[in-house]
Structures are given as structure tokens and as C-alpha cells.
Amino acid sequence: MDRYFFKRLLWIPVTLFLILIVNFVLINCVQDTLPQWIQAEKNEDYFHFSLGPVSYDQEFRKHYGLDLPILINLWPFKSLKSVQAEIGKNPNLMLKAPFLIESLKTINKNNSEGYELLAHAVLQKVIGTHYFQERQQRAELANDLCELESIIQARSPDLLNWIEMHEEKYVFQYSWKSKILVAFTETRLFYYLKHLVRFEFGTLRSDITQPVERIVLHHFKTSLLLITFPLVAIFIFSQLLGLIMALKFQNISDKILTLLCMFLYALPLYIVIPLLIEKVAIPYGLPLQSEFSIKSLVLPSIALIYGALALYARYNKTLFLYLFNEPYLKVAKAKGLRSSRLIFVHTLRHASMTLVPLFLGAIGPFLGGLVIVENLFEIKGFGYLFYQSMIQKDYHVLLFSILLSSSVSIIGHFLADFFLYKFDPRIKKNDSTSSFLQT
């Protein structure tokens, strides 16, 4: 059994990595419509073919490779005919230009078509080179850039000669080996993993000075405070309701409570929360957007409790009915033990062996429910941040939020297994699936 838990621990990072990769691909497949604060910057022509100012978002996207293909980069493999056919027709060809210098050179030798693309590609290659490191070499780079800018501004055909003269320094052409290397390294996934191995989870899109882990963890603390009371309340009251329904099985009280649970479980949050705000919060003056206090948690807690309470009460009813028919309880009752001892000592004790692991594994789904609750109540927590990040297309916040919530969910399931292993007497240390199948 110890080997089983050791293997589970080893699989946790592998599972998280696979979850991260799948969500990375899904998030990056969404069309990147820029938020309003970025669209305002697009009114200016940033970094066209000169060394003018660069857009804030352009710097952000370039640093994290957000303009590159997601998994594999096939741009260097584009044929000369396809490049020539896309000139003037494909607006995204500007992004691909640094990988198409060889084709753009051939096109410009015959005519001036695609001159702007070639100029942009050369500038990007020169600025992005790692060749210059020392002070003298940085000065040489500045001289090259000034010379290059004057050629581009004059739209001089000397650009091709300049490229030939500086080919060895900046390597404008791709060999087949370098093309294959670019195919896997010049991608969004590689850029993200390159930062991830250094435990750099990115920055906010709206403020590159703010690391996402600090912001997400700050909001996550608020959400943990929000769900603590609902989880405890659901754990206690769902057992009491389930016990009452099991003790009054087939009676009128059992039928009423069962119908009530079905009704509560069927009520959607997006209808209940506006009703709570309109009919309870506003008339009775309960705070909605004030500081994080006990008063402000009343209605969000009700919204988180009612549906899960109804579900787990029905589950506990079935569990208690099963336990009431266990042989050890029948023997204890025949020996004359009091009903209160049978219920609160023997029945509830064994029920907790099932309920505690169930609640530990339910932390992940509870975090998912916070997206609706926190946004409708405008609580600045984990769910609120996640939804706002979806609107703003803040990829790093989304990915770190998914990584954090997945970690909490997986650790919860692991602790559930560990709880059963340590405290459930029905599970022996030497038991295993293989030994069961061999018997």
C-alpha cells in the first residue's frame, strides 16, 4: 500500500503537466480579440518599418511568443509560390515575415513587391539577435540599425546588398536543420514551457510588473475563506437531513424532505442569486460590494450551500439506509444498545469513512462554482479573477488558475485516499487489488 501512495505522488506532477498542456492548447485556440485598453493603442502605427515606439501589447506578445503557432511552426517551410500568392492578401503575413526572408529576397530580386515585408523581417532578425553582448558589439548593432533604417526609409534596393553583407553576422537564411529546430522551438508552447521550468508563470497582460502567482494566490485566499463555512455547513447538515430521512423512511416527513431536496437541487444559481440580491440584500441592507466581512458572506454562503446540501442529503439518506441493514448494527441492537448510541457512535462513525473522502474530493468542483457566485455578488475572489481573465484574454492568469485549482483538486483526492487508508478499519495495509484477484 505504501508503494501505491508513492506512485500516486509521482503521478501528481505528470497529471498536472498533462492538464496544463490540454488547457494551454484550448485557451490558445480561442481567437485573441484585444481588450479595449489595448485597442486604443492600435490607433497609432507602432513599429511599422522604423525604429519608432513599440506597442505595449506587442512587447508582451513578443516576449511570450503569443504571435507564434501553438504547437509546431511550419512557417519556414512555406514555398516561394505560396508566399508570393499571399503578399497583399494575407494580413498575418507580417508575423511570418522573419521566417520567410529567403523567399522574400527572391521575390524582391525580380521586382519591389513585398519590400515592406522584407524590411520588417530583417529589422526583426537584427533586433532579436543574440550575437551582441559586449558594449562594443552593442555600439556596432546601433550603427547597423541606423544604416538599415536609412535604407528602408529611402526604399533603396541596396537592402538586398546589405543583407548579403551581414549574412554571416545575423544568419538570415535557414538550413534544413535550423528549420526543424525552429518548428519546435519557435512556438507558444515552447516559450511557455521555457518560462515554466524557471518557475516563471508570466505577468498580467495589463501590468507586466505584476507576476500572476501573486495576484492569483491573493484572490485564492479570499475564495478559501468564502467556501470554508459552506463546506462545514454542508458536511454537518447534510448528514442530519440524510439521517432524518433515513429514520423516517417512507413517512410523510421523508417524502416532504425528499421533494424539498429535489426542488433545491433543481434551482439554478443564475436565477437564485439575482433573487437573493433583489429580495433580500437590497431590502435588508446586506452589503454586496463592501469590505470582506461576515455580513457580506451571508448570501454568497446561502448560494453555495443550498444545491450541494440537497445533493449530499439525498446521498447520505441512501448511505444511512445501507448502514442500518449492516449485520454489526443488527447484532448491536439485539444486544440492547440504545438507539442514540447506535446512531451517533456506530452509524455516523462509519458514515464519516465515506463522507470525509467525498468532501475532500469535492473542493475542486466548489472552486468551479465560485465563478458564478463571485461574479454575481462582485466578490473579488478566485472565480471573479478567472472570469475577468477570460474576458481580457489574460492567458497567464487563466493557465496559473487552472494549474492551482487542478493541484487543489488532485491533492484533495490524494488526501481522501490517504484518509481511508489510515482510518478505515475495513482497509488492511496488506490488501491490494492484485492479491484480491489472485484469491
Side-chain angles (χ1 to χ4, degrees), residues 185-377:
T185 58
E186 293 295 329
T187 62
R188 296 189 200 180
L189 179 61
F190 183 82
Y191 271 63
Y192 183 73
L193 294 178
K194 183 172 64 174
H195 290 90
L196 196 63
V197 295
R198 298 196 295 263
F199 294 97
E200 296 175 6
F201 300 98
T203 60
L204 295 182
R205 191 171 186 174
S206 58
D207 186 358
I208 59 174
T209 63
Q210 295 292 334
V212 295
E213 59 268 22
R214 182 195 302 170
I215 304 300
V216 173
L217 289 174
H218 174 74
H219 287 75
F220 190 72
K221 291 177 184 177
T222 304
S223 297
L224 284 181
L225 292 174
L226 177 61
I227 67 172
T228 299
F229 173 73
L231 281 174
V232 175
I234 292 167
F235 182 77
I236 295 173
F237 291 108
S238 65
Q239 290 188 75
L240 293 177
L241 282 176
L243 183 60
I244 292 171
M245 288 189 289
L247 291 173
K248 303 294 182 179
F249 184 59
Q250 296 296 343
N251 289 351
I252 185 66
S253 56
D254 172 38
K255 294 178 181 178
I256 292 174
L257 287 174
T258 301
L259 286 174
L260 179 62
C261 289
M262 293 176 65
F263 175 74
L264 290 175
Y265 185 67
L267 287 176
L269 275 174
Y270 53 83
I271 292 178
V272 172
I273 294 178
L275 286 175
L276 288 174
I277 294 173
E278 183 180 350
K279 303 298 183 183
V280 180
I282 297 176
Y284 294 98
L286 290 177
L288 294 176
Q289 304 179 41
S290 63
E291 66 278 358
F292 198 74
S293 61
I294 295 177
K295 254 187 176 181
S296 66
L297 293 180
V298 174
L299 294 183
S301 297
I302 293 174
L304 287 170
I305 287 173
Y306 77 89
L309 179 62
L311 174 65
Y312 286 111
R314 294 289 309 278
Y315 177 84
N316 285 326
K317 172 190 171 182
T318 306
L319 178 61
F320 284 124
L321 288 175
Y322 168 77
L323 292 175
F324 287 162
N325 292 316
E326 285 288 281
Y328 72 91
L329 279 180
K330 293 180 178 180
V331 172
K333 186 177 181 180
K335 287 182 177 181
L337 287 180
R338 290 177 300 174
S339 298
S340 59
R341 183 174 178 82
L342 285 174
I343 293 172
F344 293 103
V345 176
H346 295 281
T347 306
L348 286 176
R349 180 185 175 187
H350 286 277
S352 65
M353 295 297 107
T354 303
L355 295 177
V356 171
L358 186 67
F359 274 81
L360 286 173
I363 297 177
F366 260 86
L367 290 175
L370 289 175
V371 176
I372 298 177
V373 174
E374 289 183 354
N375 278 279
L376 291 180
F377 282 107

Side-chain angles (χ1 to χ4, degrees), residues 64-201:
Y64 292 106
L66 296 180
D67 290 325
L68 297 172
I70 300 173
L71 295 177
I72 185 168
N73 189 348
L74 298 178
W75 294 346
F77 296 92
K78 289 182 71 70
S79 64
L80 178 62
K81 289 184 178 179
S82 63
V83 174
Q84 197 163 13
E86 290 184 25
I87 291 178
K89 299 178 182 178
N90 186 358
N92 294 324
L93 198 61
M94 186 70 72
L95 300 174
K96 306 175 184 179
F99 302 93
L100 307 173
I101 292 180
E102 193 171 351
S103 298
L104 293 172
K105 280 172 54 181
T106 305
I107 294 171
N108 275 266
K109 283 179 181 178
N110 302 325
N111 51 60
S112 61
E113 189 179 19
Y115 185 90
E116 291 84 359
L117 288 173
L118 179 61
H120 175 77
V122 174
L123 273 173
Q124 291 295 318
K125 286 287 289 183
V126 174
I127 293 173
T129 185
H130 299 285
Y131 174 81
F132 298 98
Q133 295 177 356
E134 299 178 0
R135 184 174 180 179
Q136 182 179 358
Q137 293 172 326
R138 288 199 300 269
E140 188 179 347
L141 171 63
N143 292 332
D144 288 345
L145 285 173
C146 290
E147 182 183 354
L148 184 59
E149 185 182 17
S150 61
I151 293 174
I152 293 172
Q153 288 178 345
R155 293 185 63 88
S156 171
D158 292 337
L159 178 61
L160 293 174
N161 296 329
W162 191 95
I163 294 173
E164 295 293 339
M165 289 174 56
H166 296 83
E167 171 63 37
E168 294 184 1
K169 186 187 295 184
Y170 298 107
V171 190
F172 293 112
Q173 293 185 1
Y174 288 104
S175 63
W176 273 100
K177 185 179 179 180
S178 59
K179 285 182 179 180
I180 295 173
L181 184 63
V182 166
F184 295 99
T185 58
E186 293 295 329
T187 62
R188 296 189 200 180
L189 179 61
F190 183 82
Y191 271 63
Y192 183 73
L193 294 178
K194 183 172 64 174
H195 290 90
L196 196 63
V197 295
R198 298 196 295 263
F199 294 97
E200 296 175 6
F201 300 98

Side-chain angles (χ1 to χ4, degrees), residues 1 428-437:
M1 203 66 176
K428 305 298 182 182
K429 290 186 177 181
N430 57 353
D431 283 348
S432 65
T433 306
S434 58
S435 62
F436 170 77
L437 292 173

